[in-house]
Amino acid sequence: MPDMSVKICGISFKNPVIAASGTFGFGMEYSEFYPISRLGGISCKGTTLVERMGNPTPRIVETSCGILNSVGLQNPGVGRFLSSYLPRLKKQDIVVIANIAGNSVEDYCEMAERLKDSQVDMIELNISCPNVKQGGVNFGVLPESVAEVTAQVKKRSDKPLMVKLTPNVTSIGDIAKAAEGAGADALSLINTLTGMRIDIKSRRPVLRNNTGGLSGRAIFPVALRMVREVYKCVKIPVVGMGGISSWEDAAEMMIAGANAVQVGTANFHDPFACVKIIEGLGSYTDSLGLKSITELTGTLSEW
Amino acid sequence: MPDMSVKICGISFKNPVIAASGTFGFGMEYSEFYPISRLGGISCKGTTLVERMGNPTPRIVETSCGILNSVGLQNPGVGRFLSSYLPRLKKQDIVVIANIAGNSVEDYCEMAERLKDSQVDMIELNISCPNVKQGGVNFGVLPESVAEVTAQVKKRSDKPLMVKLTPNVTSIGDIAKAAEGAGADALSLINTLTGMRIDIKSRRPVLRNNTGGLSGRAIFPVALRMVREVYKCVKIPVVGMGGISSWEDAAEMMIAGANAVQVGTANFHDPFACVKIIEGLGSYTDSLGLKSITELTGTLSEW
Amino acid sequence: MRYTQELGKILNKTEIAKGTFDVTLHSPEIANIAVAGQFVNILCDGFTLRRPISLCGFDSKKGILRIVFEIRGKGTEWLSRLQVGDNMDIIGPLGHGFSLIDSSKKAVIVGGGVGTPPLLPVAQFYRENATVITGFRNASAAILQGDFEKAGAKTILCTDDGSAGIHGFTTQALEQYLNENECDIIYTCGPKVMMRSVARLAENHGITCQVSMEERMGCGVGACLCCVCPTKDGKGKHLTRVCVNGPVFSSTEVDWDA
Amino acid sequence: MRYTQELGKILNKTEIAKGTFDVTLHSPEIANIAVAGQFVNILCDGFTLRRPISLCGFDSKKGILRIVFEIRGKGTEWLSRLQVGDNMDIIGPLGHGFSLIDSSKKAVIVGGGVGTPPLLPVAQFYRENATVITGFRNASAAILQGDFEKAGAKTILCTDDGSAGIHGFTTQALEQYLNENECDIIYTCGPKVMMRSVARLAENHGITCQVSMEERMGCGVGACLCCVCPTKDGKGKHLTRVCVNGPVFSSTEVDWDA
Ligand SMILES: Cc1cc2nc3c(=O)[nH]c(=O)nc-3n(C[C@H](O)[C@H](O)[C@H](O)COP(=O)(O)OP(=O)(O)OC[C@H]3O[C@@H](n4cnc5c(N)ncnc54)[C@H](O)[C@@H]3O)c2cc1C
Ligand SMILES: Cc1cc2nc3c(=O)[nH]c(=O)nc-3n(C[C@H](O)[C@H](O)[C@H](O)COP(=O)(O)OP(=O)(O)OC[C@H]3O[C@@H](n4cnc5c(N)ncnc54)[C@H](O)[C@@H]3O)c2cc1C
Ligand SMILES: Cc1cc2nc3c(=O)[nH]c(=O)nc-3n(C[C@H](O)[C@H](O)[C@H](O)COP(=O)(O)O)c2cc1C
Ligand SMILES: Cc1cc2nc3c(=O)[nH]c(=O)nc-3n(C[C@H](O)[C@H](O)[C@H](O)COP(=O)(O)O)c2cc1C
Ligand code: FES
Ligand code: FES
């Protein structure tokens, strides 16, 4: 059996498969199926300074090979995250990534401060959030605002900082370089693609929020292309996600340049998806005669 | 039976279903299945000033609910388009849209000149093409270059001008407004999303061109959202496409704001896709008690 | 490990009303621990999301589950095409079921349409102390009346068009029933508007009422926060996950006005 | 209207080698006009693109088609699960087939693996004037030998591992055959490397040769330009659509060095 562990900005993961933020709660739910210590890590549900109710329902609708969600960051707030969810999660022997969100640079910074000295292993900065200061445009779509929020959080944080990129941009490479330049220790991508569905009977959007984020197998080719693009632009580690539903998909992601992967929507389809992907990646790495799965990363030879 | 005809910048279409560029050749192939005069119109394969060979193969690969293609604008050039393909097509009693592409503003303008006084009913400007002058960045991703190429072509053309937008941008609304401001008579969207697939055996991209354009059902929710966004930004007609594979999808597109739709990849799956969509839209319009299908456009009531 | 994934072999399948199917599965692990009001989440080929379907029955000794579902869209249509001998990929038992207090109490059970199936195990608990008021579009859509009677419960059937039983809504029948009879607890599952009326009637009569809510789900296990329903308690208003904190709620917990 | 879409009912299905299936379909419209070397494009549930499969046989009187395919990936795997009585959604007949010149001429037919099936109708045309050289991985992968013999053709079987027939490649057998025998025309279908060698041998011997090319397809009818193959003629080099201008080309038309 090859060595399945990977190291990302100093943090050791048992294996390169991480549960994606928002699809795995704070880990307790899926531990009713299997011990989540089998996973490389978990990226927790996006957390904000104060509790958020999220959007009204319906919050989810199925599309061809995908889903749209508009949960809207319902979460208990960083306080209860630290006091009640994190301790339970930490008992599971698993790398814990806190996924943080905010409406202003100050929000993000305060979040980072609150996580200092906590048992959180790493911070994932979710920058697909409206920047109230800039008229609601996402932080994540402008290199300047990405750099700004990254640099500020980096200053106020003692944890490795992974910036999570949104795919709804013209040049993901430019955004990646901005984050790297501002001090990001790693990048993760992709977040969801903005989409919509309409109920032709009522002629209303199916989602109460009108639009939602597209995830699942449908977006895999776009995610793979973007991971490759980013891998070629930066030197920091890249965590790839978006539509991964099989070990073959995960292998493609790593070959394209990802040091690790996150798996989201696939968990809804098959609660054992992550476990199967870990196993499949293991046999694949073995069959290639590699000693460590890290040898897979970025081995694509383009035409 | 309701009136299925629609008018887009002065051109009358029998019905709002147009075969999408690049998926229907110059019409002759599918006329071996049914008389293509049943369609609202056809957008011909992207044509350039001089013949192009296109990219090496493989040029196509399947993805979950979609395909990636990297044909690379193989076409006979505008000369043979005018002399040999257009006359045959025009015999079919169908609205003919010439889809034109180029590497420079001059290319596009010369194309437009060549099409003057031809039997082409409308020009569709494919701006997802590399701008050799601007270091290969697509014309379609910057509002300035979109405005520039639109304005120049508009000056040199006597045909209604429809600008086809690429979805690989941060704000499709800004691009749409740029095209409208520069004189576009209509907009069509979306072109393909850039994606990739990797062969994990050879660890090479499946497509010889490394990346390709994602089309098919997978992209429908993204296309629908973008059509809605553009519809809200501009006053000129919008032709919606991207993943439409059933009359229900076409209805969603029109409700979101499209005056007509284009159907591409679905033809590969079912050669009668367009015909079925026309029939389905007819019954649906009827069932709503509308006299004309045009009454459907933009009737979405958002939450 | 509260949840199991099982490939439940279909032992029996009957179309009990047009487009409504009664299916029995061999699923011993889930059957072993299921309680009334819980559901399973079923994989449908070609779909990303599983479809939640309530348990209409479970027998831990025989290791079988019973579900009754209606074709509502493409997923349930696919399900309806499965045949005896085929496997259903299910996860369960999911959710928080009905509290069954004391079988000597008088229970009134109100079901609307395909909201009726999860109420059968409740009737089987209260037996002759149960009165089951169910409503359907018309006579041919009425289901499970025989099962409720076999459980010993009294049944009151309502149809929208009067083609069987009482011509009218379950809520009218309930109101009349409560005015004339004793009742300790009410259980209801069906369209939201119906359940809201049932909840109001229960409140007016000072009777405890348990409602089974429905919401579009992602994961079905509490991880994605897609399936929330508005609730209230001493601390204020909340959006609570139907899949784990429900589907059964106390009627006073639900914020019907949200 | 050269093309038809038909739901071909499966009349017969046999696994003739491990993972290789021989399927007979009722498809009268397509059978009525099909010629040797043409193919059909088959819908596989859950996939966007149809899968191209050559016609191994067609009988306009009986209205039947015969196809032989190997499980290569998920689409063909799905196809292999269809049973007698199920329908296959096919479009066809597609492509430009083999030119059958004169059955009194001596024809050599060279097939590699699942490139062999489309060559059967060619052998059935030339009958005792046909010599069929086919190559497979091993004895158990060898298919259609009986069919070729029944057509009256002489067969030369080659296997990579020598487990049946000649231990070696079809091209070696062909070379030897051409050195010792008369031949007017060669037909070949199989892996590209094999066909290139066959084409060279044909050229060296001054024999006309028709090759059936394979390329990943989108539409299958000539509309998308996905399936091109490099060709050359007096006017220069081209990328020519395999689905309409092929799959059968003259070996000298193909630009083997591209
Ligand atoms: C806890 C629970 C228990 C249920 N028990 C039963 C039962 O016992 N019998 C029965 O017939 N039905 C039951 N339903 C409703 C059933 O889940 C839906 O009818 C089914 O999901 C529709 O799927 P579809 O693919 O046929 O419809 P589509 O409309 O094509 O489905 C599209 C999407 O919407 C979701 N969806 C559509 N309608 C509903 C709905 N009403 N509730 C939740 N999600 C929906 C689907 O899951 C899917 O994600 C239950 C629902 C829930 C939440
Ligand atoms: C004109 C023509 C005739 C053919 N005739 C036969 C035949 O008679 N018997 C037979 O067994 N096979 C034949 N093939 C090959 C057959 O089409 C492929 O094996 C099949 O498409 C693989 O599909 P899959 O889903 O199983 O594999 P996957 O690898 O999962 O397919 C993925 C995609 O690649 C395409 N693809 C994969 N391999 C090939 C290939 N070699 N050629 C073309 N497309 C490919 C598929 O169509 C699909 O779009 C023929 C191919 C062509 C072009
Ligand atoms: C229901 C749901 C909720 C999500 N919530 C968050 C979130 O809180 N923070 C975040 O960074 N990403 C969130 N995401 C995005 C995922 O983490 C992931 O980036 C995306 O779904 C693509 O991966 P997938 O296709 O494997 O799901 C959410 C996704 C889903 C489906
Ligand atoms: C094989 C192929 C070739 C295409 N060629 C062109 C082209 O030449 N010009 C163009 O504007 N769009 C081209 N497109 C894009 C389509 O016109 C359409 O915008 C896109 O495929 C989305 O629609 P669909 O999902 O219905 O296919 C092509 C698409 C495909 C699949
Ligand atoms: S469906 Fe995911 S939390 Fe309920
Ligand atoms: S497959 Fe479309 S042109 Fe040949």
Side-chain angles (χ1 to χ4, degrees):
Chain A
M1 199 50 193
D3 179 2
M4 291 293 284
S5 71
V6 299
K7 211 166 195 165
I8 295 171
C9 29
I11 308 296
S12 285
F13 295 74
K14 278 188 202 88
N15 61 61
V17 179
I18 303 166
S21 178
T23 66
F24 219 76
F26 297 98
M28 289 307 124
E29 293 77 12
Y30 282 95
S31 64
E32 299 290 350
F33 285 107
Y34 60 84
I36 55 168
S37 57
R38 294 178 67 179
L39 301 180
I42 170 178
S43 174
C44 297
K45 173 64 193 168
T47 305
T48 49
L49 262 185
V50 291
E51 179 175 2
R52 276 177 58 106
M53 294 275 271
N55 292 322
T57 60
R59 288 179 173 184
I60 187 167
V61 59
E62 188 152 350
T63 70
S64 295
C65 292
I67 60 173
L68 290 172
N69 91 81
S70 57
V71 170
L73 282 176
Q74 176 170 355
N75 79 90
V78 67
R80 265 170 62 211
F81 167 67
L82 287 171
S83 64
S84 111
Y85 294 94
L86 184 59
R88 270 192 281 168
L89 192 45
K90 260 299 164 189
K91 286 205 194 102
Q92 313 284 318
D93 174 31
I94 184 175
V95 173
V96 175
I97 302 171
N99 179 284
I100 69 173
N103 298 319
S104 64
V105 175
E106 294 75 52
D107 279 4
Y108 281 104
C109 290
E110 255 184 79
M111 287 287 302
E113 298 260 5
R114 295 286 295 272
L115 295 175
K116 267 190 181 171
D117 309 314
S118 75
Q119 287 197 292
V120 159
D121 295 294
M122 195 187 259
I123 292 179
E124 183 172 54
L125 208 65
N126 175 1
I127 50 173
S128 315
C129 297
N131 185 344
V132 286
K133 288 268 172 70
Q134 290 187 17
V137 173
N138 276 0
F139 280 97
V141 300
L142 298 171
E144 306 81 57
S145 53
V146 170
E148 166 75 3
V149 67
T150 305
Q152 294 299 332
V153 170
K154 186 66 196 165
K155 267 194 224 155
R156 310 269 285 273
S157 169
D158 60 349
K159 308 279 182 197
L161 181 64
M162 177 155 79
V163 177
K164 181 165 177 179
L165 310 182
T166 165
N168 300 298
V169 296
T170 304
S171 169
I172 192 114
D174 289 347
I175 308 283
K177 281 185 276 187
E180 181 183 43
D185 300 301
L187 299 174
S188 62
L189 68 154
I190 61 173
N191 212 316
T192 54
L193 283 159
T194 310
M196 190 180 207
R197 282 305 301 277
I198 292 170
D199 177 344
I200 63 169
K201 288 204 193 92
S202 62
R203 289 194 254 167
R204 308 208 71 152
V206 178
L207 295 178
R208 191 64 167 67
N209 188 52
N210 296 318
T211 60
L214 182 65
S215 64
R217 294 192 297 137
I219 69 171
F220 178 71
V222 175
L224 188 69
R225 184 265 299 180
M226 289 189 164
V227 164
R228 180 70 188 166
E229 217 168 303
V230 166
Y231 171 78
K232 293 202 283 186
C233 282
V234 301
K235 296 202 170 53
I236 51 177
V238 174
V239 174
M241 83 189 90
I244 295 175
S245 77
S246 66
W247 68 262
E248 288 96 335
D249 296 340
E252 286 189 49
M253 248 334 159
M254 294 190 70
I255 293 166
N259 296 81
V261 299
Q262 290 188 20
V263 177
T265 304
N267 295 302
F268 303 168
H269 185 79
D270 177 1
F272 292 92
C274 288
V275 175
K276 289 178 188 163
I277 291 171
I278 294 166
E279 285 170 359
L281 277 181
S283 324
Y284 172 66
T285 310
D286 210 24
S287 75
L288 290 177
L290 304 180
K291 291 211 185 62
S292 157
I293 190 158
T294 57
E295 294 172 45
L296 210 55
T297 298
T299 55
L300 181 69
S301 63
E302 292 194 17
W303 293 103
Chain B
M1 199 51 193
D3 179 1
M4 291 293 283
S5 71
V6 300
K7 213 167 195 164
I8 294 170
C9 30
I11 307 297
S12 285
F13 296 74
K14 279 188 202 90
N15 61 61
V17 179
I18 302 166
S21 177
T23 67
F24 219 75
F26 297 98
M28 288 307 124
E29 291 79 13
Y30 283 94
S31 65
E32 298 290 350
F33 285 107
Y34 58 85
I36 56 169
S37 58
R38 293 177 68 179
L39 301 180
I42 170 178
S43 173
C44 297
K45 173 63 193 170
T47 305
T48 49
L49 262 184
V50 291
E51 179 176 2
R52 275 177 60 107
M53 295 275 272
N55 292 320
T57 60
R59 289 179 172 184
I60 187 166
V61 58
E62 186 152 352
T63 71
S64 295
C65 292
I67 60 172
L68 290 172
N69 90 80
S70 57
V71 171
L73 284 176
Q74 176 169 356
N75 79 88
V78 67
R80 265 170 61 211
F81 167 67
L82 288 172
S83 64
S84 112
Y85 293 94
L86 185 59
R88 271 190 281 167
L89 192 46
K90 259 300 166 190
K91 287 204 195 102
Q92 313 285 318
D93 175 32
I94 183 174
V95 172
V96 175
I97 302 171
N99 180 284
I100 68 172
N103 298 319
S104 65
V105 174
E106 295 74 51
D107 279 5
Y108 283 103
C109 290
E110 255 184 80
M111 286 288 300
E113 298 261 5
R114 296 285 295 272
L115 296 174
K116 267 190 181 170
D117 309 315
S118 75
Q119 286 197 294
V120 159
D121 296 293
M122 194 186 260
I123 291 180
E124 183 172 54
L125 207 64
N126 176 2
I127 50 172
S128 315
C129 296
N131 185 345
V132 285
K133 288 268 173 70
Q134 290 188 18
V137 172
N138 275 3
F139 281 97
V141 301
L142 297 171
E144 306 81 56
S145 53
V146 171
E148 166 74 3
V149 68
T150 306
Q152 295 300 332
V153 170
K154 185 67 195 163
K155 267 193 224 157
R156 312 270 283 276
S157 169
D158 61 349
K159 308 280 180 195
L161 181 65
M162 178 155 80
V163 177
K164 181 165 177 180
L165 310 183
T166 164
N168 301 298
V169 296
T170 304
S171 169
I172 193 116
D174 289 346
I175 307 284
K177 279 185 279 186
E180 182 183 43
D185 299 301
L187 300 174
S188 62
L189 68 156
I190 61 174
N191 212 315
T192 55
L193 283 158
T194 310
M196 189 180 207
R197 281 306 300 278
I198 293 170
D199 177 344
I200 62 168
K201 286 203 193 94
S202 62
R203 291 196 253 166
R204 307 208 72 152
V206 177
L207 296 178
R208 191 64 169 66
N209 188 51
N210 297 317
T211 60
L214 182 65
S215 63
R217 293 192 297 138
I219 70 172
F220 178 70
V222 175
L224 188 70
R225 183 264 299 180
M226 288 188 165
V227 165
R228 179 70 187 166
E229 218 168 300
V230 166
Y231 171 77
K232 293 203 283 187
C233 283
V234 299
K235 296 204 169 53
I236 51 179
V238 174
V239 174
M241 82 190 89
I244 295 175
S245 76
S246 66
W247 68 261
E248 289 95 334
D249 296 340
E252 287 189 48
M253 241 349 151
M254 294 191 70
I255 293 166
N259 296 80
V261 298
Q262 289 188 23
V263 177
T265 305
N267 294 303
F268 302 168
H269 184 81
D270 177 1
F272 292 91
C274 288
V275 175
K276 289 179 189 162
I277 291 170
I278 294 165
E279 284 170 0
L281 277 180
S283 323
Y284 172 66
T285 310
D286 210 24
S287 76
L288 291 177
L290 304 180
K291 290 212 186 60
S292 157
I293 190 156
T294 58
E295 294 172 47
L296 210 54
T297 298
T299 53
L300 181 69
S301 62
E302 292 193 16
W303 294 102
Chain C
M1 314 280 141
R2 262 191 304 157
Y3 305 141
T4 308
Q5 178 178 30
E6 270 183 314
L7 283 182
K9 179 170 279 193
I10 299 179
L11 304 176
N12 199 40
K13 178 190 161 192
T14 324
E15 186 164 358
I16 54 174
K18 196 170 170 338
T20 302
F21 296 84
D22 186 339
V23 171
T24 317
L25 299 174
H26 181 67
S27 180
E29 304 263 346
I30 295 173
N32 194 36
I33 53 171
V35 301
Q38 288 189 305
F39 66 98
V40 290
N41 221 355
I42 312 181
L43 199 72
C44 303
D45 220 34
F47 295 88
T48 300
L49 297 178
R50 289 167 178 265
R51 298 321 194 233
I53 300 289
S54 297
L55 296 176
C56 175
F58 36 84
D59 184 325
S60 58
K61 285 201 212 88
K62 294 191 190 144
I64 59 174
L65 296 178
R66 178 181 178 193
I67 57 174
V68 171
F69 66 89
E70 184 183 61
I71 297 184
R72 205 88 76 84
K74 287 183 187 165
T76 43
E77 201 217 299
W78 181 87
L79 273 185
S80 75
R81 287 200 303 270
L82 291 181
Q83 298 299 338
V84 171
D86 288 345
N87 287 323
M88 265 191 199
D89 177 337
I90 58 178
I91 59 175
L94 303 178
H96 173 96
F98 291 108
S99 303
L100 305 176
I101 43 170
D102 173 347
S103 61
S104 66
K105 298 282 182 190
K106 300 281 176 208
V108 175
I109 293 168
V110 187
V114 283
T116 304
L119 297 167
L120 181 58
V122 179
Q124 285 162 340
F125 177 81
Y126 288 101
R127 307 179 59 85
E128 51 289 331
N129 288 319
T131 302
V132 180
I133 306 173
T134 49
F136 302 92
R137 282 186 306 277
N138 53 41
S140 63
I143 52 168
L144 301 177
Q145 300 301 306
D147 292 88
F148 283 113
E149 278 155 21
K150 222 174 111 192
K154 191 182 150 204
T155 58
I156 302 174
L157 174 64
C158 308
T159 55
D160 298 352
D161 67 354
S163 54
I166 298 173
H167 186 169
F169 294 134
T170 49
T171 43
Q172 299 163 326
L174 174 65
E175 184 155 25
Q176 194 180 336
Y177 183 87
L178 293 181
N179 288 336
E180 295 164 6
N181 300 275
E182 220 182 300
C183 170
D184 298 307
I185 186 161
I186 298 176
Y187 296 90
T188 184
C189 183
K192 195 167 178 180
V193 279
M194 181 197 91
M195 293 197 291
R196 180 169 48 197
S197 303
V198 172
R200 292 231 172 99
L201 285 172
E203 204 175 336
N204 293 345
H205 285 79
I207 304 169
T208 310
C209 174
Q210 294 183 25
V211 300
S212 180
M213 305 299 288
E214 211 179 285
E215 195 44 75
R216 283 177 183 246
M217 293 186 173
C219 65
V221 299
C224 73
L225 299 171
C226 285
C227 66
V228 296
C229 113
T231 59
K232 54 183 167 30
D233 65 11
K235 288 188 234 151
K237 303 202 169 199
H238 311 280
L239 288 172
T240 306
R241 295 166 301 176
V242 168
C243 66
V244 279
N245 304 105
V248 178
F249 292 92
S250 155
S251 69
T252 54
E253 234 182 309
V254 174
D255 183 1
W256 298 104
D257 306 317
Chain D
M1 313 280 140
R2 263 190 305 157
Y3 304 142
T4 308
Q5 178 177 31
E6 269 183 315
L7 283 181
K9 179 171 281 194
I10 299 179
L11 304 175
N12 198 43
K13 178 190 162 192
T14 323
E15 187 165 359
I16 54 173
K18 196 169 171 337
T20 302
F21 297 84
D22 186 339
V23 172
T24 316
L25 300 173
H26 181 67
S27 179
E29 304 264 345
I30 294 173
N32 195 35
I33 53 171
V35 301
Q38 288 189 305
F39 66 97
V40 291
N41 221 353
I42 311 181
L43 199 72
C44 303
D45 220 35
F47 296 88
T48 301
L49 297 178
R50 291 169 177 263
R51 296 323 193 234
I53 301 289
S54 296
L55 295 176
C56 173
F58 37 84
D59 184 325
S60 58
K61 286 201 212 88
K62 295 193 189 139
I64 60 174
L65 296 178
R66 178 182 179 191
I67 57 174
V68 171
F69 65 90
E70 183 184 62
I71 297 184
R72 205 88 75 84
K74 287 185 186 162
T76 44
E77 202 216 298
W78 181 87
L79 272 185
S80 76
R81 288 200 303 271
L82 290 181
Q83 299 299 339
V84 170
D86 289 344
N87 287 324
M88 265 191 200
D89 178 335
I90 58 179
I91 58 177
L94 304 177
H96 172 95
F98 291 108
S99 303
L100 305 176
I101 43 169
D102 173 347
S103 60
S104 66
K105 299 280 181 192
K106 300 282 174 206
V108 176
I109 293 168
V110 187
V114 283
T116 303
L119 297 168
L120 180 58
V122 179
Q124 285 163 341
F125 177 80
Y126 289 99
R127 307 178 60 84
E128 50 290 330
N129 289 319
T131 301
V132 180
I133 305 173
T134 49
F136 302 92
R137 282 186 305 279
N138 52 42
S140 63
I143 53 170
L144 301 178
Q145 299 303 304
D147 292 87
F148 283 114
E149 279 156 21
K150 222 174 111 191
K154 190 182 151 205
T155 58
I156 302 174
L157 174 64
C158 308
T159 55
D160 298 351
D161 67 354
S163 55
I166 299 173
H167 185 169
F169 295 133
T170 49
T171 42
Q172 298 164 327
L174 174 65
E175 184 156 23
Q176 194 181 335
Y177 183 89
L178 293 182
N179 289 335
E180 297 165 5
N181 299 277
E182 218 184 301
C183 169
D184 300 306
I185 186 161
I186 298 175
Y187 296 89
T188 184
C189 183
K192 196 168 176 178
V193 279
M194 180 197 92
M195 292 197 291
R196 181 171 45 198
S197 302
V198 172
R200 292 229 172 101
L201 286 172
E203 205 175 336
N204 294 344
H205 285 79
I207 304 168
T208 310
C209 175
Q210 295 184 24
V211 299
S212 180
M213 305 300 288
E214 213 180 284
E215 196 43 75
R216 284 178 182 247
M217 293 186 173
C219 65
V221 299
C224 73
L225 299 173
C226 287
C227 66
V228 296
C229 113
T231 59
K232 52 184 173 21
D233 65 11
K235 288 186 236 152
K237 302 201 169 199
H238 311 280
L239 288 171
T240 306
R241 296 166 300 176
V242 168
C243 66
V244 279
N245 303 105
V248 179
F249 292 92
S250 156
S251 69
T252 54
E253 235 181 309
V254 175
D255 184 0
W256 298 102
D257 306 316

